[in-house]
Amino acid sequence: MKDEINTKLLYKIAVFMFSPANFILTTLARRNYYVNSVLHISFMVHVPYYTVNILRRHGVKADYMAIGAKSPVWNSCDYHVIFSKNSFVRAFQEFVWFWGVVARYEIVHSHFAIMLTDSGWELPLLKKMNRKIVVHYRGCHIRGRERNMRLHHDNDYNICHECDYNGQSCAGDSVVRQRNLGEKFKDLCFATTPDLLDFAPDAILLPLFAPEIRSANSAANNGNGKVTVAHVTAHPGIEGTNRIKEAIESLVKQGYNIEFKFLHFAHHDEVLKTFASADLAIGKMKMGYYANAQIESMSLGIPTITYVRPEFMTSELQNSGFIFTDLKNLEKTIKYYLDNRDALQAKRTIARESILKIHNNEEIAKQLVNYYERLRNS
């Protein structure tokens, strides 16, 4: 504890030492920026990478800065920032990265409420230079466990009941600090799924981009009678993974020929390969809405079982390649499609087309570019 206090104190002293230089550079750099530019900041993950590539096609100077250690699931970005554990060295690194990169963009788009620094010293400087700050809520970092437990008592419909983040994703010191900083300095905030509006009612719902990947060509079982079911997650506790496994195991005991492919914290390329070889995918059975992995499996043309809260259901979703059910009825739902292969094939036929219509990248990109334009002109 004493060492931790000393480290924090040394860091504050080091940041303070750069205050005079920050004051001068804030004035000098105010008009020194890339025109029509946005810097996306996140930990190392594939979503911001694909987002900036889509934005570039729409004429935006978009780049992606990944903060933190290397990831086993993704490794591509424009800037990768790994900070030293030494307080003085870290403060110097922050200073260099901020003035060398971050301050040169008109808009800073923060995913998961992640900023360049954990302390947020750069945020008031961005505001003084009239840079705009976008906070993008994508998951548990905006959820509050206590509120979620009050809203959804049933274990089958609440990801917090069996949380395997140990509460750190929504209540850890660093997460809370960065979330509060984002709320204080944001000019605009987005949420990727409607269930997140329970915790960020002022956020604008911006649909997820669909991955730009090719469809799997044909049914994976090749007529051998076996059905391959894929389930991919980084955190089984919030997905209902144990219940999914139980449903599959029960059906296997009943004589159904199922191959269950379960990937836990796998590289994105392996995820796509696994989905492409499947007949059926399952995921996000407790959150109340589907997410990236389900859009990816559907984009490959794979019918996908998921759960969507009744108030979020639309005719477009009902008529898509999604198969909607809940954990209580999961086994019965899987059994129906195993017994009715024509129904499964019918879902496969419309899976890709339907998800690309719901998550139309061109339309989403136009929305996002328009929001950026409004910010720059405000």
Side-chain angles (χ1 to χ4, degrees), residues 116-234:
L116 172 66
T117 75
D118 194 46
S119 64
W121 63 259
E122 80 279 20
L123 300 179
L125 301 185
L126 287 172
K127 302 295 281 189
K128 287 180 180 179
M129 291 187 291
N130 199 33
R131 306 301 195 256
K132 304 301 181 180
I133 298 171
V134 176
V135 175
H136 204 146
Y137 297 128
R138 291 188 168 275
C140 288
H141 59 287
I142 189 56
R143 290 188 180 92
R145 178 182 172 85
E146 291 184 5
R147 176 168 173 73
N148 203 32
M149 296 291 276
R150 288 197 305 270
L151 290 173
H152 309 288
H153 301 286
D154 194 325
N155 181 32
D156 285 349
Y157 308 108
N158 188 330
I159 65 175
C160 295
H161 275 279
E162 297 177 17
C163 173
D164 43 15
Y165 286 101
N166 296 318
Q168 293 305 298
S169 184
C170 65
D173 291 343
S174 179
V175 173
V176 171
R177 180 166 53 254
Q178 294 231 314
R179 186 171 64 221
N180 290 341
L181 287 168
E183 285 294 304
K184 180 179 179 180
F185 290 99
K186 70 184 180 186
D187 294 290
L188 185 67
C189 65
F190 295 122
T192 55
T193 55
D195 60 300
L196 294 178
L197 299 180
D198 288 342
F199 313 97
D202 63 333
I204 297 168
L205 187 62
L206 185 74
L208 295 157
F209 284 109
E212 299 185 318
I213 51 180
R214 295 182 179 179
S215 174
N217 292 324
S218 60
N221 60 52
N222 296 318
N224 63 9
K226 179 182 288 186
V227 171
T228 301
V229 179
H231 173 56
V232 175
T233 181

